[in-house]
Amino acid sequence: MHIEQNILDQVNEWLTPTFDQNTQDEITALMTSDPKGLEDAFYKNLEFGTGGMRGVMGVGTNRINKYTLGKNTQGLSNYLKKCFPNEDLKVAIAYDCRKNSDTLAKVVADIFSANGIKVYLFSELRPTPELSFALKYLNCHAGIVLTASHNPPEYNGYKVYWQDGGQIVPPQDGEIIAEIEALKYNDINFTANENLIEYIDTEIDEAFIKSTIENASFNTPKEAKENLNIVFTSLHGTSIKSIPAVLSKAGYTNVNIVKEQEIPDGTFPTVKSPNPEEPEALTMALALADKVNADIVIGTDPDSDRLGVAVRDTNGKMILLNGNQTMVIMTAFLLEQWKRADKITGTEFIGSTIVSTPMMLDLAEAYGIECKVGLTGFKWIAKFIKDFPDQKFIGGGEESFGFMVGDAVRDKDAVAACLLVCEIAAQAKASGSSLYNELINLYLDFSFYKEHLISLTKKGKEGLAEINQMMIDLRENPMESINGQRVVCIEDYQNTTARDLINNETFHLDIPKSNVLIYYLEDGSKICARPSGTEPKIKFYFSVNAILESKDDLEAANAYLDTKIQNIISEMKLN
């Protein structure tokens, strides 16, 4: 096959002595055995997306390896020195269960130390939220997590955190990227100063667990905790290091762990995808739940920032909740607890994202507080906390199974969310209700909101071009009606404009630019199109709603909304 000259130039650079012999040998093998794979490995540089930098592990500029991460780390080291010229710099590093995460974490630590920066490196794998906590606890200037979250086993990644414990946001992200792009690979200093690398574990673990219990406990009676029958799975990931200890110390004694998925393993041998968003991932946990007659099933992704929950419905059958449902349940509970404690003054806020359920806005209005809505990714919610110091953050989430309780951790946190959802379930059961009934009560109060997500995978260079063309078509040839409903407004976050199609007016969106389009229909339906920032996918988010008069109408309302979503999908030719 023909490979473009600019790609060959990149390949030839990687065949020089700057790169080790194993790397050169792998590239040489690809040249003869897999030219298509060689092109995919070098046709672009890996970029920072919504959740840091993620990619397939291997050789090349479009892969996760010691050189691409090394360049990131050298650039970040240079940037830290510019930002804090007269300070003794400190960084914290954590990593997950994935193949090569431990060795790549040590490479990153070596480079920081080679640049005279003090490194706190976790001695073993730890949850991502613990890194955010540790960074603040140790007064570090930055932090790194080696993780690809819920991506397939061949992936790894690199997430950068700033002083506040949140992921990098503008302008830091662009400035750091500029530093990285200004470097050549032979600028990377790999020669470690071991005296500057300190291994951390137990002290941070204990402080993190203590903080989690303080922030996510709400006076649940001891008997109620003991009566809640929990099934938990870490899906071979890092949460096994924290969640069992948190639940035990918080007083939850009836916890059944899925043993087959308890040991951390980056190959994720028992699941197709280690993602609690995917129903298949919780198959083993659901089977155990039926065996032990559990009230609730909880599963986390490999780096323990996403939380999947299953509960029993009104017929006693285990059903999976989606991220929007768990988010509104937890947010409503927090708001009610703050109200009962007379802590709501009107200066508080909750956080959500543009692709998440509009019910969050209804909840905020009902409690007389603000719901701040940002772009996809918890870094934007963390940025709200930093940008509005006079307002108190209560909690918030996003549709992709992430939630954050308070501001002790500045990223989505499945450890605290796990404890919080157990508190809600235990209190509900003790009062003769259930987590599912609490959700239905919210639908009765605020309308029945139903959301659905479609992810279309488009791999490689051709896939990227196809995704780009789909977004161009949606922008340049917008649909005027969908499923018999007029499109009344289109928000384009790439050019930060909103077009009111009824009054033919255009408004400015006061939000950072992002490649996202949202269509609003006259019946309150919402459709969002967004290329993923971390995977070769384009995602379509659907939100529809209907008034729910009584619990008896639930089944009919659910069927009506399902039909509405499927009609929208069919008309948009997405099935």
Side-chain angles (χ1 to χ4, degrees), residues 249-362:
K249 291 186 178 182
Y252 291 89
T253 56
N254 196 357
V255 180
N256 305 273
I257 297 174
V258 180
K259 294 298 181 183
E260 299 92 334
Q261 298 174 330
E262 183 177 19
I263 297 173
D265 186 340
T267 66
F268 311 112
T270 65
V271 292
K272 291 179 182 177
S273 169
N275 184 359
E277 291 180 87
E278 303 289 341
E280 180 273 336
L282 296 181
T283 300
M284 284 186 167
L286 291 170
L288 180 58
D290 285 338
K291 182 179 178 181
V292 302
N293 194 30
D295 300 303
I296 187 168
V297 167
I298 296 169
T300 57
D301 68 344
D303 69 325
S304 190
D305 59 3
R306 294 171 190 245
L307 182 82
V309 176
V311 295
R312 296 201 181 277
D313 65 11
T314 51
N315 298 315
K317 180 185 176 183
M318 270 288 171
I319 61 165
L320 295 169
L321 301 180
N322 63 43
N324 286 297
Q325 291 172 321
T326 55
M327 171 171 58
V328 296
I329 291 169
M330 288 189 280
T331 302
F333 180 84
L334 287 175
L335 288 169
E336 187 61 25
Q337 296 301 310
W338 278 59
K339 180 181 177 181
R340 290 179 183 177
D342 200 27
K343 291 165 58 179
I344 292 182
T345 65
T347 60
E348 295 76 25
F349 74 96
I350 56 175
S352 187
T353 72
I354 57 174
V355 300
S356 299
T357 178
M359 189 192 280
M360 290 290 281
L361 297 169
D362 295 344

Side-chain angles (χ1 to χ4, degrees), residues 117-180:
I117 298 171
K118 170 74 175 180
V119 178
Y120 294 100
L121 174 62
F122 275 100
S123 60
E124 292 180 310
L125 76 171
R126 288 295 189 279
T128 288
E130 187 168 350
L131 181 279
S132 174
F133 174 86
L135 192 162
K136 293 171 66 183
Y137 183 83
L138 295 167
N139 295 313
C140 292
H141 297 82
I144 302 291
V145 178
L146 279 297
T147 178
S149 188
H150 60 285
N151 284 51
E154 63 270 23
Y155 279 75
N156 215 317
Y158 183 95
K159 293 170 75 171
V160 182
Y161 291 77
W162 205 239
Q163 275 186 304
D164 65 319
Q167 291 186 57
I168 54 170
V169 292
Q172 283 90 0
D173 54 358
E175 293 167 356
I176 291 169
I177 290 167
E179 287 286 344
I180 293 167

Side-chain angles (χ1 to χ4, degrees), residues 94-228:
Y95 57 91
D96 70 4
C97 59
R98 289 177 179 273
K99 185 179 179 183
N100 300 322
S101 280
D102 53 351
T103 55
L104 289 171
K106 183 58 167 66
V107 168
V108 171
D110 288 349
I111 295 167
F112 279 128
S113 70
N115 284 274
I117 298 171
K118 170 74 175 180
V119 178
Y120 294 100
L121 174 62
F122 275 100
S123 60
E124 292 180 310
L125 76 171
R126 288 295 189 279
T128 288
E130 187 168 350
L131 181 279
S132 174
F133 174 86
L135 192 162
K136 293 171 66 183
Y137 183 83
L138 295 167
N139 295 313
C140 292
H141 297 82
I144 302 291
V145 178
L146 279 297
T147 178
S149 188
H150 60 285
N151 284 51
E154 63 270 23
Y155 279 75
N156 215 317
Y158 183 95
K159 293 170 75 171
V160 182
Y161 291 77
W162 205 239
Q163 275 186 304
D164 65 319
Q167 291 186 57
I168 54 170
V169 292
Q172 283 90 0
D173 54 358
E175 293 167 356
I176 291 169
I177 290 167
E179 287 286 344
I180 293 167
E181 291 178 346
L183 294 172
K184 295 185 172 67
Y185 285 101
N186 58 14
D187 293 325
I188 305 168
N189 188 348
F190 287 104
T191 307
N193 179 350
E194 296 291 348
N195 293 326
L196 289 177
I197 300 175
E198 180 179 337
Y199 290 90
I200 55 175
D201 37 51
T202 307
E203 179 190 343
I204 306 300
D205 294 341
E206 292 175 352
F208 175 61
I209 290 169
K210 181 175 182 288
S211 172
T212 299
I213 293 171
E214 288 174 352
N215 287 314
S217 294
F218 292 90
N219 301 314
T220 303
K222 179 176 183 291
E223 185 179 357
K225 293 179 181 181
E226 293 172 349
N227 285 342
L228 187 69

